Amino acid sequence: QVQLVESGGGLVQAGDSLRLSCAASGRTFNTYVMGWFRQAPGKERDFIARIYWSSGFTNYADSVKGRFTISRVHAKNTVYLQMNSLKPEDTAVYYCALRSRDDYGVDLNAISNYDYWGQGTQVTVSS
């Protein structure tokens, strides 16, 4: 089992920055990829960024590319999401997720392909 705990959310103004953290514990030794997703009220949970644990390679949704940066620190089993130039449309609950299986061709934008999830942290951006 793996436990994921997010932190760092809050209320900010448009243009501000926030850094989210997601600390993983438990059986993390075979982590393949970790991702960040977000869910706005009344909307589906959407992919925004992921990082491959071994290589550090990253992917981003178009909506956050150039503003958000995902990173990880192996020694802390922690992944971060640095969010700059925040907009009101970034308001959502942000979730981190972990996939442990390295299967070729899996859609890593799909929530169903992640094994573990955190409880979420609220980010609210006022205009």
Side-chain angles (χ1 to χ4, degrees):
Q1 282 290 77
V2 172
Q3 295 78 42
L4 302 175
V5 179
E6 301 102 335
S7 61
L11 172 63
V12 297
Q13 293 186 332
D16 285 351
S17 298
L18 272 178
R19 189 178 79 157
L20 306 183
S21 301
C22 175
S25 60
R27 297 173 63 86
T28 61
F29 57 88
N30 60 344
T31 297
Y32 173 54
V33 64
M34 290 189 71
W36 285 97
F37 293 74
R38 66 186 181 188
Q39 188 166 18
K43 296 190 176 181
E44 295 183 347
R45 191 173 299 187
D46 292 328
F47 161 78
I48 53 174
R50 65 173 165 267
I51 187 164
Y52 294 81
W53 198 247
S54 178
S55 69
F57 188 76
T58 59
N59 296 106
Y60 297 91
D62 288 343
S63 59
V64 305
K65 202 172 293 183
R67 299 188 298 124
F68 291 10
T69 303
I70 188 171
S71 60
R72 89 277 194 242
V73 175
H74 278 133
K76 295 184 177 181
N77 278 334
T78 299
V79 64
Y80 302 95
L81 186 68
Q82 177 66 42
M83 306 186 294
N84 298 330
S85 302
L86 283 161
K87 305 175 182 179
E89 51 263 44
D90 294 318
T91 295
V93 178
Y94 284 69
Y95 298 90
C96 71
L98 182 150
R99 177 179 172 89
S100 55
R101 294 160 290 157
D102 178 5
D103 296 325
Y104 180 77
V106 170
D107 180 5
L108 293 176
N109 289 0
I111 62 174
S112 59
N113 289 323
Y114 286 79
D115 305 308
Y116 303 99
W117 290 85
Q119 82 286 354
T121 186
Q122 176 71 46
V123 172
T124 303
V125 184
S126 64
S127 57

